[in-house]
Amino acid sequence: MSTRKRNEWLDAEESDDDERGYSSEEESRAHTLPSAKRQKTDHSSGASDSEDDAEPDDSTSDPISSKNAELARLEELAAGLPQDLKLAADKLGGKPIDLKAPKKDKSGVIYISRVPPFMKPTVLRSLLTPYGAVGRIFLTPEDTTSRQQRLRGGGTRRKLFLDGWVEFTHKKDAKFVAENLNAQTMGGKKRGRWHDEVWNIKYLTGVKWAHLVEQIQNENAERAARLRFEIQQSKKENKRFLENVERGKMESGIKATRQKRGEDTDGLEE
């Protein structure tokens, strides 16, 4: 019995030691494993955090998404603009512009050597419009000096035009007007102001409105140069006249002093 007890106790101690040893190994593994698990979980959580942080960077760095956002913002701004400020759809679409050759100028110009007294450009347009589409009209007004003289003589203050040029959209209409209306009465109402006036029209072959504008500009430049030359000549003449006046005064003064000295010498000799 004693031996059995002893053996049981020994067996129990050995089993306790084995259990303690096993438990110590388990505890050592447990101490090591949770730390590794923590490191894994921490690493995974850090990776997830880094992924969360990196996601907005990827979205912002994507050029397609940024371009779409920019287009959406521009569309919102365009929708808020007034209707008259919105661009055409073709321009927004970026369609290529059709580059065509410029259209040929088919206009014609007629010259009216005499404009009836006090006829305005609107009246002239109304008289010529039935014969074709009328473009631009230019009538030469009377000179300022002649206008002032007319006003001083008791004339009316209405504008008086001397001659003029009329542009037709189609040269065939201009040719037709020059061939059929020249040296003809204007007609209209029987008691109208210009019923008995006669047309004086000539078609200008190969002349366009741009040529007339260039010619008018050249004439204005020549007139300005002539005026400048005349002003310079008048200034020179005025300066020469003043110099002559001063010279005359000086010479008359010298003569007066000489005469006075001569009289004094004659008085002394006597």
Side-chain angles (χ1 to χ4, degrees):
M1 293 295 293
S2 62
T3 58
R4 185 184 299 173
K5 285 182 180 180
R6 188 180 172 214
N7 292 332
E8 290 176 356
W9 285 106
L10 289 173
D11 294 335
E13 287 177 0
E14 289 177 359
S15 63
D16 290 338
D17 292 334
D18 294 336
E19 290 176 0
R20 286 177 185 175
Y22 179 77
S23 63
S24 64
E25 290 178 359
E26 289 292 329
E27 285 177 0
S28 63
R29 289 179 183 177
H31 285 301
T32 56
L33 289 175
S35 62
K37 287 182 180 179
R38 285 196 198 95
Q39 290 177 359
K40 276 188 178 181
T41 53
D42 293 338
H43 180 69
S44 62
S45 63
S48 63
D49 292 338
S50 63
E51 289 177 357
D52 294 336
D53 294 336
E55 284 177 359
D57 294 334
D58 294 337
S59 63
T60 54
S61 63
D62 190 3
I64 298 174
S65 60
S66 62
K67 186 175 181 181
N68 294 331
E70 186 69 18
L71 289 175
R73 187 178 68 83
L74 291 175
E75 288 177 357
E76 290 178 359
L77 291 174
L81 291 174
Q83 189 67 25
D84 54 351
L85 294 178
K86 290 182 180 179
L87 297 174
D90 294 339
K91 294 181 180 179
L92 288 174
K95 293 182 179 180
I97 301 173
D98 189 9
L99 298 176
K100 295 182 179 179
K103 293 183 179 180
K104 189 177 180 181
D105 189 5
K106 298 180 180 180
S107 62
V109 180
I110 61 173
Y111 172 67
I112 301 175
S113 60
R114 178 184 175 274
V115 179
F118 311 114
M119 177 181 280
K120 296 180 180 180
T122 54
V123 178
L124 184 61
R125 183 183 294 273
S126 64
L127 292 174
L128 294 176
T129 299
Y131 301 98
V134 179
R136 289 164 284 192
I137 298 175
F138 176 79
L139 301 181
T140 306
E142 63 177 336
D143 194 12
T144 54
T145 56
S146 60
R147 177 178 173 80
Q148 290 176 359
Q149 291 177 0
R150 184 169 59 83
L151 293 176
R152 289 173 185 173
T156 180
R157 298 185 65 86
R158 289 183 296 178
K159 290 184 178 180
L160 182 65
F161 298 98
L162 304 178
D163 58 354
W165 293 264
V166 180
E167 180 191 25
F168 282 87
T169 306
H170 301 285
K171 63 173 66 177
K172 61 180 182 180
D173 297 333
K175 291 180 180 179
F176 176 82
V177 168
E179 291 174 359
N180 294 280
L181 294 185
N182 188 30
Q184 300 293 328
T185 57
M186 294 185 179
K189 294 182 180 180
K190 189 174 182 180
R191 295 185 179 179
R193 183 181 297 175
W194 300 287
H195 180 272
D196 297 328
E197 294 289 343
V198 179
W199 288 108
N200 296 284
I201 301 174
K202 181 181 179 181
Y203 175 73
L204 302 178
T205 305
V207 177
K208 302 298 180 182
W209 196 261
H211 301 156
L212 295 177
V213 173
E214 185 179 359
Q215 182 180 358
I216 292 170
Q217 290 177 355
N218 293 333
E219 290 177 357
N220 292 333
E222 290 178 0
R223 190 181 299 109
R226 195 181 305 113
L227 287 174
R228 285 195 299 269
F229 179 74
E230 291 177 357
I231 290 170
Q232 289 177 359
Q233 289 295 115
S234 63
K235 284 182 179 180
K236 288 180 180 179
E237 291 177 359
N238 190 16
K239 186 178 179 180
R240 190 179 298 112
F241 175 75
L242 293 176
E243 289 177 355
N244 292 333
V245 169
E246 292 293 333
R247 187 181 295 108
K249 287 180 180 181
M250 187 170 58
E251 290 178 356
S252 62
I254 291 170
K255 287 181 180 179
T257 53
R258 284 180 180 178
Q259 289 177 0
K260 189 175 180 180
R261 287 177 183 177
E263 291 176 356
D264 293 339
T265 54
D266 293 337
L268 290 173
E269 288 177 356
E270 290 177 357

